[in-house]
Amino acid sequence: MLPAIYGAGVSHEPSSTHSPAQAWAALAPILAGQPRVRLSRDAGKTYPQKHERTLSETLPTLPAAVRIFGKDGTCAAIFLDFDSSVAGIDWVEADVRAVQTWLHSVGARWIEDYSPNGGRHVYVPLKQRVTFSEARDLVEALGTRYRSLDKTPHQNLLHGCMRTPGSPHKRGGHQELAMSLSMAYDVARRPNTANVWAAMTDDLAGEIAAVRALRLETNFTPMAEEAPAIKHPAGRMSRIMQLMAQTGLYDTNRYASDSDARQAIVTGAAAAGLELVDVERRMMQGTWPGLASFYARYASRHRVPALRRDWINAVAYLSKNPSTSNKNNNVRRSPTSQPDTQPLELKGLKQNSNPDAEHRFIRTWRNALRIREVNYTESRLGMARRMVLRSLGEAAHMTASRFIEFGVRSIAVATGLDHTTVALHLKALRAEKDPLITLVEEARGTKGDLYMLTVPEELKTSAEDASWQKGKIHALRPVFRELGLPAAFVYEALEHSPALPITDLVRVTRLSRSAVNEALELLAAWNLVTRNGGRAWSVVATTSLRQLAEHFGVLEAVAAQLQRYRIERIIWREWLASNVNTVAELLSPGEDYPWEAFEGPPDDWALADIAFSRTG
């Protein structure tokens, strides 16, 4: 017989018997699908991926939610979140009593806690981990029975997370256990067996069949379906295939089972030019937890051999059907990779006859930029202007010329800003007293504004006397769209000068001490920087910025931005073709077309090409 608490309604234990810190330390590491936790810095409203940390037994000071699913796409417990905002506290309590009665009837054991706002969580620990699809089916089936049950935590493989007992709450207080800590710990340490799981799914067989049928009737429309892929020397998987690999979600009208979906992903990866080791690494590192979940039904020692069999089948299929590897459903080519080898003169860019002299000038200009940056505060405005200037410096190095001719949309992609915001920043920067950039020629037709890097007279002596900074100057690399501008500046400083203490980082980055500390915490959480014994920090060279950007899904956002700008560029060219008869008649601002919306980057090359080819 189960203890009375398991079939009862509310049974609050006096808070003096255990502390929130004890509840967190005892239960969070056991219930979590992987040892990762996300913190909320906006009072519990959101739990963004960039604020994810390694899970420890120390109670966080902010609302904290553990990851439900592991890197292999499986979970160690079912998380049932009953939300009081849906139908009120009374309905939540009724649903919780009903689900507990049901759990008792199938022989399951559970842990319950409650929130200060009246919401309740029920956790069902499992001895044998279950896949994302299996857990999702069960929770969605329960959702047809219980109105206040929030199904979303189990509907997202990458972002599914939930607060566990002891976690701080956004309204103050903590998640409080509705049972003794010793009893809850006993349930966690002796989880439900595979027989109990089978009993749960058998009892819900009708509802599970219904939710699966509902998904068959629902159109599969991923948000980034029409976004172009980013060019890779060997091609790149389509957006749909990457989403399937990341989320484990697929069009059930097209793929009859998880096995069919996983074979499609593996075939897409092979067609894109990836190697088997690349796929294995993405599965093991959690970049493709969706694909990993499709192999979770095998024992651990059999998963890699199963992947190898699928890979051999994929290669054999592509060898017999070579044209398949170029179809859009598996691999795409994209025009946004390395700049082509067309001479710069043919692109309309003014180039100095001595590239070495230009690079020396640009490095002197970078010295002037470092000196001038003290005038830009750590506000969002100041940091954005610093990044715009960096993007121009990077473009200058890539073209070996102090003259830069790129439209604001190209700079927008390189900086992670909106193109209208870039236009405002450029206007403000060139209007400064002794500016670092000068507008040489305004945009005409399909050509962007022509800017020239300028070393102000007041900074010339200091900039020329200072030693040149080693390393490259970067625009905003894609991963820092997620991690933020302060993290980008701190990471850049450590790239140029390894083993810097916080005091020196504050001086170099022009950020406050608190901003630097927060950026370091964020970078360390993703293994981008590490502390060198004492107080100095250094970059972790083995962590790939590009792979982390792929893990965050940032490349999807960049591809969508590129697609939007490509469409706008087409619209602008079509307008030009129908309204301008000769090149001499290229219009200028003030005429009847909205130039501020469609000034258009250069015809064949964009700063985005540079930014995307340098992702680390």
Side-chain angles (χ1 to χ4, degrees):
M1 249 336 249
L2 291 171
I5 181 68
Y6 293 127
V10 181
S11 178
H12 295 233
E13 179 195 3
S15 59
S16 59
T17 58
H18 68 268
S19 67
Q22 290 173 323
W24 175 270
L27 300 175
I30 300 177
L31 295 174
Q34 61 175 295
R36 301 288 286 177
V37 60
R38 293 187 180 181
L39 306 181
S40 175
R41 298 187 179 276
D42 55 4
K45 295 178 182 178
T46 61
Y47 295 84
Q49 188 175 19
K50 70 176 181 179
H51 293 320
E52 188 172 301
R53 303 286 187 272
T54 300
L55 175 62
S56 71
E57 295 183 356
T58 303
L59 179 65
T61 57
L62 300 171
V66 301
R67 290 283 301 275
I68 293 178
F69 295 99
K71 292 181 179 179
D72 61 351
T74 66
C75 61
I78 299 298
F79 290 64
L80 302 179
D81 180 9
F82 295 90
D83 190 351
S84 60
S85 66
V86 174
I89 296 176
D90 291 341
W91 202 300
V92 166
E93 292 187 354
D95 279 350
V96 170
R97 285 195 294 270
V99 80
Q100 288 175 343
T101 300
W102 174 74
L103 289 169
H104 180 66
S105 71
V106 295
R109 308 171 76 218
W110 68 88
I111 300 168
E112 180 193 355
D113 70 7
Y114 59 93
S115 306
N117 65 352
R120 290 180 178 275
H121 297 165
V122 174
Y123 313 88
V124 186
L126 302 172
K127 185 175 183 179
Q128 183 175 317
R129 295 172 71 102
V130 297
T131 67
F132 166 67
S133 299
E134 293 171 326
R136 179 192 182 195
D137 285 345
L138 183 130
V139 173
E140 288 185 348
L142 286 175
T144 65
R145 292 186 178 184
Y146 309 112
R147 178 181 176 185
S148 63
L149 177 61
D150 182 5
K151 304 179 289 295
T152 56
H154 274 278
Q155 290 176 321
N156 196 311
L157 180 58
L158 292 175
H159 303 295
C161 57
M162 203 162 85
R163 295 188 310 277
T164 53
S167 170
H169 193 270
K170 61 183 179 181
R171 293 191 177 182
H174 299 79
Q175 292 291 130
E176 295 284 353
L177 280 170
M179 56 205 304
S180 70
L181 178 57
S182 59
M183 183 178 294
Y185 186 71
D186 179 69
V187 175
R189 296 300 297 176
R190 295 192 297 122
N192 296 285
T193 64
N195 290 335
V196 173
W197 173 258
M200 294 167 64
T201 54
D202 288 345
D203 191 73
L204 290 171
E207 288 91 338
I208 290 175
V211 296
R212 286 177 177 172
L214 181 62
R215 285 204 292 273
L216 281 170
E217 298 171 3
T218 304
N219 292 328
F220 181 71
T221 53
M223 290 184 297
E225 180 177 4
E226 298 303 323
I230 302 138
K231 187 176 180 181
H232 185 278
R236 189 175 178 86
M237 292 174 67
S238 72
R239 292 279 147 285
I240 293 179
M241 287 294 166
Q242 291 196 58
L243 287 172
M244 286 168 56
Q246 292 171 351
T247 66
L249 302 177
Y250 56 87
D251 187 349
T252 50
N253 292 302
R254 183 171 186 179
Y255 304 107
S257 65
D258 289 358
S259 297
D260 291 342
R262 86 182 190 213
Q263 185 65 67
I265 295 170
V266 172
T267 305
L274 296 180
E275 298 180 3
L276 177 57
V277 66
D278 297 322
V279 178
E280 288 183 16
R281 182 171 58 249
R282 283 166 168 78
M283 287 175 54
M284 300 302 180
Q285 294 179 345
T287 302
W288 285 356
L291 179 60
S293 73
F294 296 150
Y295 289 95
R297 68 184 184 89
Y298 297 103
S300 298
R301 66 180 181 277
H302 297 312
R303 292 173 187 173
V304 172
L307 171 62
R308 291 181 183 275
R309 287 196 301 272
D310 289 344
W311 184 265
I312 292 172
N313 292 336
V315 173
Y317 172 76
L318 293 172
S319 299
K320 295 177 181 177
N321 303 273
S323 61
T324 304
S325 63
N326 293 323
K327 290 184 179 180
N328 287 343
N329 65 324
N330 282 329
V331 59
R332 293 182 180 179
R333 304 290 296 184
S334 168
T336 55
S337 184
Q338 300 284 353
D340 57 43
T341 56
Q342 181 180 357
L344 296 177
E345 291 82 1
L346 298 182
K347 297 179 181 293
L349 296 179
K350 295 176 174 55
Q351 185 182 23
N352 190 292
S353 58
N354 187 343
D356 290 338
E358 284 297 279
H359 281 301
R360 289 194 293 271
F361 173 84
I362 296 166
R363 289 191 175 276
T364 301
W365 178 86
R366 287 171 56 183
N367 287 343
L369 172 61
R370 292 206 309 275
I371 298 171
R372 177 63 62 82
E373 279 185 332
V374 72
N375 296 335
Y376 301 114
T377 65
E378 70 169 48
S379 66
R380 295 175 66 89
L381 183 69
M383 288 190 291
R385 290 185 181 171
R386 291 169 64 180
M387 193 55 67
V388 169
L389 289 170
R390 274 168 166 71
S391 70
L392 296 176
E394 181 178 27
H397 269 309
M398 295 296 288
T399 59
S401 172
R402 71 189 73 185
F403 295 94
I404 307 104
E405 187 178 44
F406 292 107
V408 294
R409 284 170 178 76
S410 298
I411 299 174
V413 175
T415 59
L417 302 171
D418 183 77
H419 70 281
T420 58
T421 304
V422 170
L424 293 174
H425 286 316
L426 288 172
K427 183 177 180 181
L429 287 169
R430 68 184 185 238
E432 290 179 348
K433 181 181 179 182
D434 295 325
L436 290 167
I437 58 173
T438 302
L439 178 62
V440 177
E441 182 179 319
E442 291 187 344
R444 291 291 186 275
T446 60
K447 300 300 181 183
D449 289 331
L450 178 63
Y451 281 93
M452 180 180 68
L453 302 186
T454 306
V455 178
E457 286 296 329
E458 63 174 8
L459 302 179
K460 185 167 292 186
T461 301
S462 300
E464 290 175 348
D465 291 344
S467 58
W468 290 335
Q469 189 176 45
K470 296 180 180 179
K472 303 173 182 176
I473 184 171
H474 291 284
L476 189 70
R477 288 167 282 189
V479 68
F480 293 109
R481 289 189 177 210
E482 176 71 16
L483 300 180
L485 289 175
F489 290 127
V490 171
Y491 187 86
E492 180 189 69
L494 291 175
E495 279 183 309
H496 291 153
S497 303
L500 286 179
I502 291 179
T503 302
D504 290 341
L505 282 171
V506 171
R507 174 181 54 81
V508 172
T509 62
R510 318 292 187 184
L511 301 175
S512 68
R513 191 178 186 89
S514 60
V516 170
N517 277 323
E518 184 175 337
L520 287 171
E521 180 185 358
L522 187 62
L523 293 168
W526 293 102
N527 198 37
L528 288 170
V529 301
T530 185
R531 193 191 298 269
N532 295 335
R535 294 179 295 176
W537 292 81
S538 294
V539 165
V540 178
T542 55
T543 302
S544 167
L545 295 184
R546 186 179 185 87
Q547 287 186 16
L548 192 56
E550 182 179 353
H551 178 76
F552 283 147
V554 176
L555 302 185
E556 303 290 339
V558 179
Q561 187 179 18
L562 285 169
Q563 173 71 354
R564 184 171 71 253
Y565 290 163
R566 184 172 291 112
I567 293 172
E568 292 177 357
R569 187 184 305 178
I570 292 171
I571 294 172
W572 169 230
R573 287 176 177 168
E574 289 177 348
W575 188 92
L576 276 179
S578 61
N579 289 274
V580 179
N581 297 322
T582 65
V583 176
E585 294 182 29
L586 289 179
L587 306 179
S588 59
E591 304 198 24
D592 62 345
Y593 192 83
W595 284 81
E596 70 282 357
F598 296 108
E599 71 277 24
D603 281 338
D604 301 313
W605 197 24
L607 185 56
D609 300 336
I610 300 173
F612 239 167
S613 66
R614 307 263 299 275
T615 53

